[in-house]
């Protein structure tokens, strides 16, 4: 007899359900009322780490010094080149003392210099051995990458580089994952003298085939024995397979700033970093050259011809990284998978450039080793190479320099152009004559002058600015003790944290827009309603059942 | 010829550019300007000035500091005046940049474009007057320097009973197109939901039982 009553309760369930839907609170997001939520501290996905702008590992490397009779110029940078390496690169491994050899990490046969063929006091037969190294590659032994090489705080893209043949450990010490200082980007600048007989051997230590191609450097199509000498698999020999070697022969007749790079799957391999500057210096008597400039930048032992005209010389190598290409070597330790990911899945025609480096580092690490240091009234030689996809438009604040050479060919002096933005397309090189004469044209005086690519994506690290290839021209009067410019005390606080380029550090006000607190009253009301609906449904079912039994 | 004309123009106007000028209710000098200054002309519907209302309104970044996510505002954003009042506004700019006190909706036949404006080019203050008509109306006050209104510099003046509140006045009204923010849920959110749910279930069952026992008892007692 109560069955009817239970049935009459069913519409109540529907009414309550409608009310519950109508009163449903916002559980995950909601519009603000009158006031916006208060700010909150940013959520960091990693513990905050603050780098020192300069670790000052080798202050003794900065002074001018003579090692094994080789004059090495002063280099006031935070992170100067190792003078023992420079002595070895000038003399050749066959002409250095045991002490210098022990202090370098270069293989004994990496560089051999002999035979003064023209009797002018310097060696004319040069044997160079290059290896291929991988930075921030995959490892099956840890979730991270190995060996680590940070281009900027917390940024470790997978990269390749040519390297002088090395010996010993690749990391700083056996507990460290960090690549030792000589394992770095970019591929080293190679310097040879006009007329030298140069034999460059690629010892392919890598797991993919590679070659060497000399771009703009005078070389015959084939070696004297008929071997491949242009490095292009389509027109010459098969690439140099992993674990094998090939020797290329050069006797350049023309001096200038040139390039070398791998010509296997060139789009990918070049962008991975297998490219470097190749400088042919004019022939002079007693011209012992610094064959390698590891990490490019300041040349601490310039050629005789450069010293005749210039007070200092810098090699400036601009590169970019596509983070998707860089990742292809970080996700597997199966070379078949890596090869597929890099060569077939990755599509260069859909490429983006995310990181921009000057001499293997992005700002703020460029402050450590990519500064141009100057004094007033100096003549400075800058060799600029662009091996990224996009054009660079280099601008030096406060200065107008003269473009003296294009792609290793001297411009007619009457036609040379003095300007303040230097456009350099892919694979192009220019030589600049920078004068630090405070005359209102060439220089506006001493200071800390930014120099950077004016194609604006180039001054950010994956879109986070300041970054990219930003570096500084610093006059010595503005240079601090550890080779860093005298900046405002807090100028670098943000950029040397690991959270800044992870995009987790709010700019200026240091707070994120906060979240809203839950609307408890609304939630409780809703809970009661839903509870009532469930309870009522049970009540009706139970009631109908017991009535049915009767 | 051209030159002498330019020189002539310079002598006539050049010196007076920054000297105070006042014509047609426009007062300007090097510190700022007042537009449609009106201390005496009565609106058609007012027979006399009902009252003199003196208001001092400050503008600047510091007044927005109590409001999360905003940049500029006035110290007070909600004003009141009786019909036919003469309002003497002292606008004080506390920032080193340009700000305005601009009010809209005044009768166009005496205030061109219906506006009265005090603009200050930097730190400083100016006083100007306008007379409001008799109708109940809410007038829109703002600073029109690019994005200042949107980022907080907005207020209202209610004459008489006003005509409702304007949207998105800091501390007073919600925006018409609000931002959506995530809700910070924690375990208490879910505890509240589950507890209220359980209470709901038991409450209904308890009530139901009570009612049913009442209903079943009645026939017995007959
Ligand atoms: Cu290759
Ligand atoms: Cu304003």
């Amino acid at each position: 007899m109560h069955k009817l009553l239970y049935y009459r309760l069913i519409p109540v369930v529907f009414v309550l359900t409608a009310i519950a839907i109508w009163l449903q609170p916002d559980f995950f997001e909601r519009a603000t009322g009158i006031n916006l939520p208060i700010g909150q501290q940013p959520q960091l996905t990693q513990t905050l780490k603050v780098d020192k702008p300069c670790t000052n590992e080798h202050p003794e490397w900065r002074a001018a010094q003579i090692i094994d009779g080789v004059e090495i110029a002063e280099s006031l940078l935070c992170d100067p080149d190792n003078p023992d390496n420079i002595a070895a690169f000038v003399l050749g491994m066959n002409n250095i003392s045991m002490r210098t050899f022990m202090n370098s990490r270069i293989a004994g046969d990496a560089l051999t210099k002999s035979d003064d063929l023209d009797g002018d006091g310097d060696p004319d037969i040069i044997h160079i051995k290059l290896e291929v190294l991988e930075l921030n590659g995959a490892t099956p032994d840890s979730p991270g990458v190995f060996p680590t090489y940070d281009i900027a705080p917390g940024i470790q893209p997978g990269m390749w580089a040519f390297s002088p043949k090395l010996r010993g450990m690749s990391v700083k010490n056996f507990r460290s994952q960090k690549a030792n200082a000589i394992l770095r980007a970019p591929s080293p600048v190679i310097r040879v003298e006009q007329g030298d007989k140069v034999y460059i051997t690629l010892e392919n230590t890598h797991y993919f085939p590679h070659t060497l191609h000399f771009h703009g450097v005078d070389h015959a199509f084939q070696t004297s024995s008929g071997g491949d000498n242009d490095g292009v698999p389509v027109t010459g020999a098969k690439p140099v397979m992993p674990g094998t070697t090939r020797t290329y022969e050069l006797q350049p007749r023309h001096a200038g700033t040139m390039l070398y790079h791998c010509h296997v799957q060139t789009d990918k391999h070049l962008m991975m970093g297998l490219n470097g500057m190749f400088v042919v210096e004019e022939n002079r008597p007693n011209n012992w050259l610094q064959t390698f400039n590891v990490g490019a930048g300041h040349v601490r032992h310039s050629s005789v011809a450069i010293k005749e005209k210039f007070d200092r010389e810098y090699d400036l190598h601009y590169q970019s990284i596509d983070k998707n290409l860089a990742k292809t070597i970080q996700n597997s330790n199966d070379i078949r998978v890596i090869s597929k990911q890099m060569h077939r899945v990755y599509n260069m025609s859909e490429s983006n450039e995310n990181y921009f480096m000057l001499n293997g580092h992005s700002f703020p690490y460029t402050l450590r080793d990519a500064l141009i240091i100057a004094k007033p009234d100096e003549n400075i030689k800058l060799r600029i190479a662009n091996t990224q996809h996009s054009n660079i438009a280099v601008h030096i604040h406060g200065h107008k320099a003269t473009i003296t050479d294009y792609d290793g060919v001297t411009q007619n002096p009457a036609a040379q152009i003095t300007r303040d933005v230097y456009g350099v397309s892919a694979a192009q090189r220019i030589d600049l004559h920078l004068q630090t004469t405070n005359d209102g044209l060439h220089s506006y005086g001493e200071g800390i002058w930014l120099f950077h690519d004016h194609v604006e994506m180039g001054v950010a690290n994956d879109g986070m600015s300041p970054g990219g290839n930003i570096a500084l021209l610093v006059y010595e009067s503005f240079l601090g003790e550890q080779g860093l410019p005298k900046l405002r005390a807090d100028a670098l606080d943000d950029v040397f944290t690991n959270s800044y380029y992870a995009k987790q550090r709010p700019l200026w006000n240091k707070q994120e827009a906060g979240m809203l607190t839950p609307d408890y009253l609304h939630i409780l009301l809703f809970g009661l309603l839903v509870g009532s609906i469930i309870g009522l449904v049970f009540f009706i079912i139970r009631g109908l059942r017991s009535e049915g039994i009767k | 010829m051209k030159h002498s004309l330019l020189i002539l123009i310079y002598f006539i106007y050049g010196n007076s550019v920054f000297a105070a000028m006042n014509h047609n209710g426009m007062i300007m000098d090097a510190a700022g300007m007042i537009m449609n200054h009106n201390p005496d002309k009565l609106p058609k519907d007012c027979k006399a000035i009902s009252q003199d209302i003196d208001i001092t309104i400050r503008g600047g970044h510091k007044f927005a500091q109590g409001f999360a996510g905003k940049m500029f505002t006035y110290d007070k954003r909600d004003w009141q005046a009786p019909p036919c009042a003469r309002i003497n506004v002292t606008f004080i700019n506390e920032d080193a940049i340009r700000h305005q006190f601009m009010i809209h909706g005044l009768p166009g036949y005496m205030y061109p474009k219906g506006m009265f404006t005090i603009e200050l080019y930097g730190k400083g203050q100016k006083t100007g007057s306008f007379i409001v008509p008799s109708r109940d109306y809410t007038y829109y006050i703002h600073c029109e320097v690019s994005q200042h209104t949107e980022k907080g510099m907005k207020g209202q003046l209610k004459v008489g009973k006003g005509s409702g509140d304007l949207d998105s006045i800091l501390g007073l009204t919600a925006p018409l197109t609000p931002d959506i923010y995530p809700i910070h849920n924690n375990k208490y959110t879910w505890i509240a939901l589950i507890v209220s749910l359980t209470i709901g279930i038991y409450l209904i069952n308890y009530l139901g039982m009570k009612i049913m026992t009442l209903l079943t008892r009645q026939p017995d007692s007959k």
Side-chain angles (χ1 to χ4, degrees), chain B residues 15-202:
Chain B
N15 293 330
S16 58
V17 163
F18 287 133
M21 295 199 310
N22 182 359
H23 68 107
N24 272 346
M26 172 90 160
I27 305 170
M28 65 187 288
D29 61 19
M33 63 151 188
I34 303 175
M35 248 174 62
N36 302 339
H37 175 57
N38 172 30
D40 42 27
K41 266 182 270 167
L42 284 170
K44 284 178 198 162
D45 49 344
C46 294
K47 291 206 172 71
I49 289 169
S50 64
Q51 203 180 329
D52 257 311
I53 302 281
D54 294 326
I55 69 176
T56 299
I57 179 166
R58 293 162 193 272
H61 167 63
K62 68 178 181 192
F63 303 114
Q65 275 168 348
F67 297 96
K70 295 292 168 185
M71 189 48 70
F72 302 109
T73 193
Y74 301 108
D75 61 339
K76 194 174 163 221
R77 292 162 295 277
D78 190 18
W79 301 89
Q80 199 79 43
C84 297
R86 173 165 57 202
I87 298 169
N88 308 307
V89 183
T90 300
F91 178 44
I92 303 176
N93 180 356
E94 307 235 359
D95 285 340
I97 56 150
R98 189 163 63 95
H99 283 303
Q100 300 166 339
F101 170 93
M102 187 181 273
I103 183 159
H104 293 268
L106 297 166
Y109 61 84
M110 53 189 303
Y111 300 92
K113 298 195 172 133
M115 284 157 53
F116 165 84
T117 306
I118 302 179
E119 179 167 65
L120 295 165
Y121 302 149
K123 259 197 178 71
Q125 69 174 71
K126 275 193 188 298
T127 304
S129 303
F130 60 97
I131 301 166
V132 292
S134 62
R135 66 166 174 161
D136 290 336
Y137 189 71
T138 304
Y139 293 87
Y140 171 32
I141 298 170
H142 71 146
C143 169
E144 225 189 22
V145 175
S146 181
Q147 279 290 324
H148 284 203
T149 310
E150 293 75 7
K151 301 303 179 273
M153 212 157 180
K154 179 174 177 181
Q156 64 184 13
L157 168 68
K158 278 185 179 166
V159 169
K161 293 180 191 121
S163 54
D165 287 321
L166 302 179
D167 294 311
S168 63
I169 292 176
L170 291 196
L172 185 71
T173 54
L176 196 61
T177 53
D179 283 298
I180 305 292
Y181 293 87
I183 293 171
H184 186 69
N185 291 309
N186 53 35
K187 59 180 181 207
Y188 298 112
T189 319
W190 309 120
I191 289 172
L193 188 66
I194 288 163
V195 166
S196 58
L197 210 85
T198 318
I199 291 172
I201 293 173
Y202 280 101

Side-chain angles (χ1 to χ4, degrees), chain A residues 2 5-6 26-34 36-37 514-516 518 520 523-524 527-528 530-532 535-536 539 542, chain B residues 68 70 171-175 178-186 188-189 192 196-197 200-201 204-205 208-209 212 215-216:
Chain A
H2 294 303
L5 188 80
Y6 286 116
D26 298 309
F27 279 109
F28 299 103
E29 55 173 30
R30 119 170 92 84
T32 46
I34 293 170
L36 308 187
M515 295 168 93
L516 298 169
Y520 284 108
I523 288 170
L524 287 171
L528 275 174
V530 174
S532 309
L536 201 56
F539 182 74
R542 212 171 42 202
Chain B
K70 295 292 168 185
L172 185 71
T173 54
D179 283 298
I180 305 292
Y181 293 87
I183 293 171
H184 186 69
N185 291 309
N186 53 35
Y188 298 112
T189 319
S196 58
L197 210 85
I201 293 173
I204 282 293
N205 274 284
M209 288 306 182
M212 280 303 154
L215 286 177
T216 40

